[in-house]
Amino acid sequence: MSDRKPVGEDTVDARQVNAQKTDGVVQVDAGVDHVDAKPRSDVFQYNMNYRSVGQCVVINNKNFHRKTGMGVRNGTDQDAKNVMETFSKLGFKVKISNDQTVSQMKDLLMKVSKEDHSQSAMFVCVLLSHGDDGKIFGTDDCIELKRLFELFRGDRCTSLVGKPKLFFIQACRGSDLDSGIEADGESDGETTRIPVEADFLYAYSTAPGYYSWRNVAHGSWFITSLCEMLSKYGKQLEIMQIMTRTNHKVALDFESSSNLPGFGGMKQIPCIVSMLTKELYFHK
């Protein structure tokens, strides 16, 4: 093996923000000096000192037009009830809208996105419906989820810029089944530019491509677990810790019971996609 070092020079994959070009040579600013002091802890936490925690908008779709081919979502009213009770106790102003068409869903969320959220710490949306990969159903048709999410982007909903925007989606994301596998048991004044997609959290009830399970009497596995974990730990743990415990409960405590051939004994794992830039604690 040769000890000779590779020929060439190191470079970055993009031009640095503070780089300047002089006579064809990129000059990089040496930067500024910092003290070795511990940064303020609240720099890494979302500010909750607002007049209101915020709104929690719930779209609860149970009955669907025949043309969609979708059946009645029995048990979803229990989900809506659990969400109402859980988020109300956390201080949210909860509003439930039942059996919304695609147009009504868009109009509802567009109206909310245009409201003044300047006195709110955050925003929550819970979607309870049928779905497919990247899509969710209104009572009459389906729509891409991103069409709903983008209404709250930083360049469209300015009063929520820099604030958490949480979306909880109880819906199928495909038709795959998870049969599970055996495992060993456990023994300040400055302005700054931020990405328009920042500060979102998308909590899906299941992994991409998979069915999402719902008990017709007690509600869906995901919403049931989410509400239980929020009720137990919402005033003490950070949101990602809560979501990890939600994943744990869904993954270990539930297994499908179905009369349909091949649908019994199935498992499920939620999927959390975070673009949050700080830690989120619901308590002030």
Side-chain angles (χ1 to χ4, degrees):
M1 179 181 296
S2 173
D3 293 330
R4 189 190 310 178
K5 295 182 179 179
V7 178
E9 61 182 22
D10 295 327
T11 185
V12 294
D13 288 329
R15 182 180 177 187
Q16 297 183 34
V17 174
N18 59 350
Q20 298 178 347
K21 197 169 184 179
T22 304
D23 296 330
V25 178
V26 175
Q27 303 289 337
V28 180
D29 182 41
V32 295
D33 295 324
H34 288 272
V35 294
D36 289 326
K38 181 180 179 181
R40 299 200 328 267
S41 61
D42 59 0
V43 169
F44 300 105
Q45 292 183 17
Y46 284 108
N47 179 21
M48 295 297 288
N49 291 317
Y50 288 89
R51 185 181 303 167
S52 167
V53 176
Q55 293 187 53
C56 174
V57 174
V58 183
I59 294 179
N60 177 36
N61 290 339
K62 179 179 181 179
N63 304 290
F64 297 81
H65 295 187
R66 183 177 300 175
K67 67 177 182 179
T68 65
M70 295 295 178
V72 177
R73 297 185 62 254
N74 292 314
T76 191
D77 290 335
Q78 184 61 47
D79 278 348
K81 179 182 177 182
N82 285 343
V83 169
M84 167 68 82
E85 294 176 352
T86 300
F87 281 90
S88 293
K89 289 179 181 177
L90 288 174
F92 288 87
K93 181 180 179 181
V94 183
K95 179 182 179 182
I96 299 177
S97 297
N98 296 311
D99 289 344
Q100 299 288 289
T101 64
V102 165
S103 177
Q104 289 173 328
M105 291 168 68
K106 288 193 299 184
D107 290 346
L108 170 63
L109 292 178
M110 183 176 292
K111 180 181 178 181
V112 174
S113 71
K114 292 182 178 180
E115 292 177 4
D116 182 8
H117 300 268
S118 59
Q119 297 303 313
S120 297
M122 57 189 297
F123 171 74
V124 168
C125 179
V126 182
L127 302 174
L128 310 172
S129 191
H130 286 300
D132 204 341
D133 200 9
K135 299 178 181 179
I136 194 161
F137 274 83
T139 57
D140 60 339
D141 203 352
C142 64
I143 183 175
E144 289 186 330
L145 279 163
K146 67 179 182 180
R147 297 275 303 279
L148 303 179
F149 299 157
E150 66 187 12
L151 296 172
F152 296 87
R153 284 181 6 175
D155 56 346
R156 299 190 181 187
C157 183
T158 56
S159 60
L160 282 173
V161 168
K163 300 176 182 179
K165 295 162 279 282
L166 313 185
F167 287 82
F168 299 95
I169 305 102
Q170 168 55 44
C172 289
R173 304 181 73 186
S175 56
D176 290 341
L177 291 166
D178 188 339
S179 58
I181 189 169
E182 294 298 324
D184 292 336
E186 295 179 8
S187 71
D188 293 280
E190 294 182 357
T191 60
T192 187
R193 296 176 67 236
I194 63 174
V196 297
E197 301 282 1
D199 305 302
F200 280 88
L201 181 139
Y202 307 110
Y204 296 91
S205 59
T206 190
Y210 283 85
Y211 276 119
S212 184
W213 291 93
R214 168 177 35 85
N215 184 280
V216 297
H218 304 294
S220 65
W221 302 357
F222 174 61
I223 295 298
T224 298
S225 302
L226 172 68
C227 290
E228 181 180 334
M229 294 300 107
L230 283 171
S231 296
K232 286 184 176 180
Y233 306 111
K235 295 294 182 71
Q236 61 186 91
L237 296 182
E238 200 273 330
I239 186 63
M240 294 306 296
Q241 293 175 301
I242 295 172
M243 297 314 303
T244 298
R245 296 189 183 204
T246 300
N247 281 5
H248 182 273
K249 182 172 180 63
V250 173
L252 273 66
D253 289 4
F254 292 88
E255 188 172 294
S256 67
S257 175
S258 175
N259 294 324
L260 294 174
F263 278 70
M266 296 295 115
K267 304 291 287 183
Q268 179 179 318
I269 182 67
C271 178
I272 316 304
V273 181
S274 175
M275 271 83 87
L276 297 180
T277 58
K278 297 181 181 181
E279 297 166 359
L280 170 59
Y281 293 89
F282 290 107
H283 60 82
K284 291 187 178 182

